[in-house]
Amino acid sequence: MKEIIIVGAGGTGREVLQWIKDINAVKPRWIIKGFIDDNLNALKGYECSHSIIGSLKEWQPGPREVFVCAISIPQQKEAAVRALKKKGADFTEVIHPTAIITQHNFIGKGLIVYPNARISVNAKVGNFVTLLTSIIGHDVEVDNFTTITSHCGINGRVKIGKRVFIGSHVAIIPGKKVGDDAYIGAGSVVIEDVLPNTVVAGVPARFIRNNV
């Protein structure tokens, strides 16, 4: 049985720890080794069953270890994954047993899917996407390292680029495109395409500033 290490000991990391326990309760899959985080005090003040066992910067992956990247900020997530991959790290998916993933879709490497999330038919979800309790509709495309937070509705044929962050309770109407490195604020309703490297928010979502 492989040993799993959670990259990032923030709120997302602590949630992912619980989802791993839920998966193991159905069928034992991993030995939980702990967290790695460059902030060695990230768990201070929180009750947690597992500890930070080292820093991302210093960690040398072992042959029995697999990793899951529980960093929600897309650019930081990509940087952490690339740094560990250079050292030979192997990543795994963490998909909660209550998530619904239909047939006839493409699921990438390193995916995290929260409880009761749904991925519909003919969707394409790229590598290292984090999907909280939200819905990805039919024929949707989500590119690498994107994070979709809670209670979002990504409707049919929407295309989302790389490293996009989508805040909670966002709705995107069918067929719209969201460019790379965009940020969509919580509660927004997206009725027009979102340009790359922009921050949008509101009902309807409007340009706020460049995302730099």
Side-chain angles (χ1 to χ4, degrees):
M1 191 178 294
K2 293 278 191 177
E3 298 174 328
I4 191 166
I5 295 174
I6 302 166
V7 182
T12 302
R14 286 180 277 117
E15 289 178 329
V16 169
L17 171 61
Q18 182 60 55
W19 311 152
I20 293 169
K21 291 178 181 179
D22 292 348
I23 292 167
N24 278 346
V26 174
K27 182 179 180 180
R29 184 173 174 188
W30 303 289
I31 298 167
I32 304 171
K33 196 164 184 177
F35 300 90
I36 57 172
D37 197 305
D38 286 339
N39 176 9
L40 298 179
N41 294 314
L43 293 176
K44 188 175 181 180
Y46 297 100
E47 291 186 16
C48 190
S49 60
H50 290 72
S51 62
I52 296 172
I53 56 176
S55 70
L56 189 156
K57 188 181 297 183
E58 302 295 333
W59 196 263
Q60 296 298 322
R64 296 184 63 245
E65 295 172 351
V66 294
F67 296 79
V68 57
C69 190
I71 297 172
S72 60
I73 298 172
Q75 293 77 11
Q76 294 179 12
K77 175 167 44 173
E78 182 179 32
V81 167
R82 293 194 185 283
L84 283 166
K85 278 195 162 189
K86 283 183 180 179
K87 301 178 184 180
D90 183 27
F91 284 84
T92 189
E93 297 73 49
V94 172
I95 300 174
H96 195 271
T98 63
I100 298 173
I101 300 178
T102 61
Q103 294 181 329
H104 311 301
N105 51 41
F106 171 83
I107 301 298
K109 182 81 171 173
L111 190 69
I112 296 173
V113 182
Y114 273 46
N116 301 308
R118 284 188 278 166
I119 300 175
S120 192
V121 294
N122 299 114
K124 296 179 181 178
V125 181
N127 299 323
F128 301 100
V129 168
T130 304
L131 176 65
L132 277 67
T133 304
S134 290
I135 298 172
I136 290 177
H138 65 86
D139 306 298
V140 167
E141 297 181 15
V142 183
D143 213 335
N144 302 338
F145 297 104
T146 283
T147 295
I148 301 171
T149 63
S150 297
H151 306 294
C152 296
I154 313 300
N155 290 291
R157 304 184 311 281
V158 166
K159 293 186 178 181
I160 298 172
K162 297 180 178 69
R163 297 176 300 274
V164 174
F165 185 91
I166 300 177
S168 65
H169 295 83
V170 165
I172 305 178
I173 69 169
K176 297 306 170 186
K177 296 180 180 179
V178 180
D180 295 348
D181 297 290
Y183 183 105
I184 303 176
S188 298
V189 177
V190 176
I191 63 171
E192 302 289 347
D193 291 349
V194 177
L195 294 176
N197 299 291
T198 59
V199 176
V200 302
V203 182
R206 299 187 185 280
F207 174 81
I208 303 297
R209 59 177 173 82
N210 290 322
N211 189 23
V212 294

